[in-house]
Amino acid sequence: MTIAILPARLANQIAAGEVVERPASVVKELVENSIDAGATTIKIDIEKGGAKRIRISDDGKGIAKDELALALSRHATSKIKDLDDLEAISSLGFRGEALASISSVARLTLTSKPELQTSAWQANAEGRDMAVSIKPAAHPKGTTIDVSDLFFNTPARRKFLRTEKTEFAHIEEVIKRIALAHFDISFVLSHNHKVIKQFRAANSSIQRSKRVAQVCGQKFIDNAIEVDCEHDGLHLHGWIAQPSFYRNQNDLSYSYVNERMMRDKLINHAIRQAYADLLPSDAYPAFVLFLKLDFRDVDVNVHPAKHEVRFHQGRYVHDFIYSVCNQALKNELAFDVDHSTGEISPSDINHEAQHQLVDHDTSFVTPLRASADVSQQAHTATNIQSSGNSAERASNHENLRANGYASSANTHHYSPKINPQASKAYSDLMTPLAIDSQITEPELIQENNRISAQVAPAVLSASTEDEMTETTKVLFWQAPDYLLFQQQQSLRVLSVKKIELLLKLQTIKQRWHEKLVSQPLLLPIKISVSEKVAKFVQLNAEQFQHIGMDIQSLNNQKVQIRQFPALLRNKDVTHSFDRLIKQLDVESHDGVHADIDWQMALAALMLSEESSQAHALQIWRNAQRHFNCQFEQQLRLNSVALDLTSSINELT
């Protein structure tokens, strides 16, 4: 067989196999082109479900006469010029394939008139060689694309078209999705010369809510929680339905990235995780959410239909979406409205949720950013409000804002109140953590800037009271984790790791009566194990749940981890699980492990891998604060005395 270049028409038809799936695909591509052209009004006329005719008219910038033929060519676009543009795509279209692909499987007529052009011109693409003919036409400012007889030259594809009603239903769904993302544009959808849907431009919050209700139904907006949160280059806003308003099918799930409609697995997983404990297993949440981020932080060129994207920091985006949605749901469940007074009051039904919110509501997942600088921690506030009231946005560090979670129910009108505990909880949510927000070191404060002790030479200065008491002085740090200190008249060597282990153990014991916070994983992790370990996992599923680990035995050789303890969020999952199994000595231990065994194993996993003078002194300070009057006793228990007598005798 010889190698030959495909004819232009055949190449376009092959491309059309990915771009033009059905009439709804044509509508999507053409409407997005109109949006990119700056249109404020878009009309969509459909005949026979799109199989006979699709006509899109807009009042956008238009296409100049000299570029009409080029517009119908493959890989011709005005939206990107070089690789830099491709890496930061801000337009909905960019490949330059849509018009060429459509014209290869249908009869296409393109009529356009830019504002500065005196007359309109029309281009027709027909024939085997896809020759483009251009002639004058009458047309106002903007562009009209007329697509008729879809798949007339590809009978095999035409056979796969469904009924007229079904195909139009798909088109209507596309227009609904686009209308939700572009509130400032008017849309008119007609079928067989009858107006079916009309969306007027929505420029106010009330108008936007009405458009959402028009698309998703009034019941959705009445049961919706409005979210609006911005942090570190990410902005999430929109509406999520209360858990009581769940769906039996996934028909009210609208997500957008930079105004581009998405069916992205990462986004859907994060939202489902936020509802995980609030919905039946066979139910679906309802939401309309918009995510905005820097165009350079997302790659949209990964799916033929552009329904999926690739985030450069996917884990961070996932945790951010999960955190915002989960916290909004918790806040909504923690309060009810007294309809007689219009005041927010704690809900009796949700008393437990309120207790968790007020006392220690940190069971959400804090967004992770590997490059996060603790010195740049931001603080924000949470407001609970109705759609009839607009609470002032909290001003905070570096203009970070969170407009709170507002109930959109039109029947509830009350004065917004700020819950200080909820505000602090959300501030913690938006703060990058070095350790778990719920399980923290007792009195742990990063005071590295206060560490003035210097090795000179190899001796620590004991000039500050932070490192000593009147009878105890730190003298020397020996790598990897030992401190030489003076206690009264003797010299002792302290194991820093032992002291750190005691602190971690005390921290775990303080929270052991509660279920420890878990971190949902983006994707479940499967680990190969021995038969004995698999059986151990199966028998101790409840205990694993208690420490924040959702794990199940798949078979005798594999286990699957879906959630991991949040206090180990900075640890490798597979490595930590292997260490946990070794700490519990599963391979040689057949009996049931006591709580102290699990606590000790977990504390050992929490130990820092850092080995430095500053870290050792920090542990010393933490122990001094925590143990207080028992500090001297703990020093003696976890250190050994240096016997200098024999060394002195050798010298004499």
Side-chain angles (χ1 to χ4, degrees), residues 481-493:
D481 294 294
Y482 299 96
L483 285 177
L484 176 67
F485 67 96
Q486 177 184 342
Q487 193 174 50
Q488 296 178 347
Q489 300 301 317
S490 65
L491 296 177
R492 304 184 69 87
V493 178

Side-chain angles (χ1 to χ4, degrees), residues 158-169:
R158 197 175 183 87
K159 286 193 306 182
F160 286 98
L161 292 179
R162 303 300 180 184
T163 63
E164 177 182 325
K165 183 179 179 181
T166 301
E167 294 299 340
F168 181 76

Side-chain angles (χ1 to χ4, degrees), residues 121-183:
W121 290 84
Q122 186 178 92
N124 293 277
E126 295 180 357
R128 180 177 298 275
D129 298 327
M130 302 204 48
V132 179
S133 60
I134 299 177
K135 60 182 180 181
H139 194 278
K141 173 183 172 291
T143 302
T144 295
I145 298 181
D146 198 325
V147 179
S148 60
D149 299 329
L150 187 63
F151 301 133
F152 77 98
N153 55 355
T154 52
R157 297 291 303 275
R158 197 175 183 87
K159 286 193 306 182
F160 286 98
L161 292 179
R162 303 300 180 184
T163 63
E164 177 182 325
K165 183 179 179 181
T166 301
E167 294 299 340
F168 181 76
H170 285 284
I171 294 173
E172 187 177 4
E173 181 64 22
V174 167
I175 298 302
K176 285 181 179 179
R177 286 183 173 272
I178 295 176
L180 280 178
H182 302 276
F183 291 100

Side-chain angles (χ1 to χ4, degrees), residues 91-377:
S91 59
L92 296 176
F94 56 89
R95 296 187 184 131
E97 288 185 325
L99 292 180
S101 298
I102 295 170
S103 64
S104 69
V105 293
R107 295 184 173 92
L108 187 145
T109 301
L110 171 61
T111 309
S112 187
K113 178 187 178 298
E115 186 175 8
L116 300 179
Q117 194 168 284
T118 57
S119 61
W121 290 84
Q122 186 178 92
N124 293 277
E126 295 180 357
R128 180 177 298 275
D129 298 327
M130 302 204 48
V132 179
S133 60
I134 299 177
K135 60 182 180 181
H139 194 278
K141 173 183 172 291
T143 302
T144 295
I145 298 181
D146 198 325
V147 179
S148 60
D149 299 329
L150 187 63
F151 301 133
F152 77 98
N153 55 355
T154 52
R157 297 291 303 275
R158 197 175 183 87
K159 286 193 306 182
F160 286 98
L161 292 179
R162 303 300 180 184
T163 63
E164 177 182 325
K165 183 179 179 181
T166 301
E167 294 299 340
F168 181 76
H170 285 284
I171 294 173
E172 187 177 4
E173 181 64 22
V174 167
I175 298 302
K176 285 181 179 179
R177 286 183 173 272
I178 295 176
L180 280 178
H182 302 276
F183 291 100
D184 56 334
I185 301 177
S186 298
F187 297 89
V188 180
L189 174 62
S190 302
H191 188 214
N192 296 332
H193 310 291
K194 181 182 179 182
V195 176
I196 304 300
K197 289 287 182 180
Q198 186 170 359
F199 301 97
R200 293 184 174 90
N203 299 313
S204 65
S205 60
I206 296 177
Q207 291 174 339
R208 286 191 287 270
S209 295
K210 287 183 178 180
R211 177 173 286 195
V212 174
Q214 193 176 356
V215 174
C216 303
Q218 188 61 42
K219 286 187 177 180
F220 169 80
I221 207 69
D222 289 343
N223 292 274
I225 307 165
E226 188 172 356
V227 299
D228 190 357
C229 179
E230 187 173 0
H231 176 70
D232 198 15
L234 295 179
H235 183 199
L236 184 69
H237 67 99
W239 298 262
I240 59 175
Q242 298 177 12
S244 58
F245 187 78
Y246 64 83
R247 311 290 292 176
N248 294 323
Q249 55 185 353
N250 196 21
D251 58 343
L252 284 184
S253 302
Y254 300 103
S255 58
Y256 302 84
V257 177
N258 292 338
E259 298 184 342
R260 185 188 301 276
M261 54 183 178
M262 286 289 119
R263 296 191 183 97
D264 190 77
K265 295 179 181 177
L266 184 145
I267 297 174
N268 290 336
H269 182 273
I271 298 171
R272 291 296 301 270
Q273 285 292 330
Y275 282 89
D277 299 328
L278 304 173
L279 295 181
S281 58
D282 57 345
Y284 297 90
F287 56 86
V288 179
L289 287 174
F290 306 90
L291 178 66
K292 291 185 178 181
L293 69 167
D294 194 307
F295 296 111
R296 294 168 295 183
D297 291 337
V298 59
D299 186 2
V300 300
N301 191 25
V302 296
H303 190 279
K306 309 169 190 171
H307 287 159
E308 296 180 8
V309 295
R310 182 181 293 114
F311 299 100
H312 294 323
Q313 299 199 50
R315 181 61 178 271
Y316 175 64
V317 173
H318 176 277
D319 286 356
F320 175 75
I321 296 173
Y322 167 82
S323 301
V324 175
C325 294
N326 185 258
Q327 189 63 29
L329 293 168
K330 284 187 176 182
N331 289 350
E332 182 69 16
L333 293 174
F335 296 93
D336 272 346
V337 180
D338 187 342
H339 298 286
S340 61
T341 63
E343 297 291 326
I344 302 177
S345 59
S347 172
D348 295 333
I349 300 175
N350 301 303
H351 179 72
E352 183 179 353
Q354 182 209 7
H355 174 76
Q356 294 176 352
L357 175 67
V358 174
D359 289 347
H360 44 268
D361 187 9
T362 51
S363 57
F364 47 77
V365 179
T366 305
L368 295 175
R369 178 84 71 160
S371 61
D373 186 355
V374 179
S375 66
Q376 297 178 349
Q377 294 175 354

Side-chain angles (χ1 to χ4, degrees), residues 52-110:
K52 182 179 180 181
R53 191 182 190 191
I54 298 171
R55 187 172 183 268
I56 311 292
S57 302
D58 66 61
D59 59 351
K61 298 176 182 177
I63 304 172
K65 174 190 174 184
D66 297 338
E67 297 180 349
L68 283 177
L70 192 60
L72 298 178
S73 302
R74 196 178 179 202
H75 304 312
T77 180
S78 62
K79 298 166 188 179
I80 60 173
K81 302 295 184 183
D82 50 32
L83 183 60
D84 292 337
D85 294 338
L86 185 62
E87 293 179 348
I89 297 172
S90 59
S91 59
L92 296 176
F94 56 89
R95 296 187 184 131
E97 288 185 325
L99 292 180
S101 298
I102 295 170
S103 64
S104 69
V105 293
R107 295 184 173 92
L108 187 145
T109 301
L110 171 61

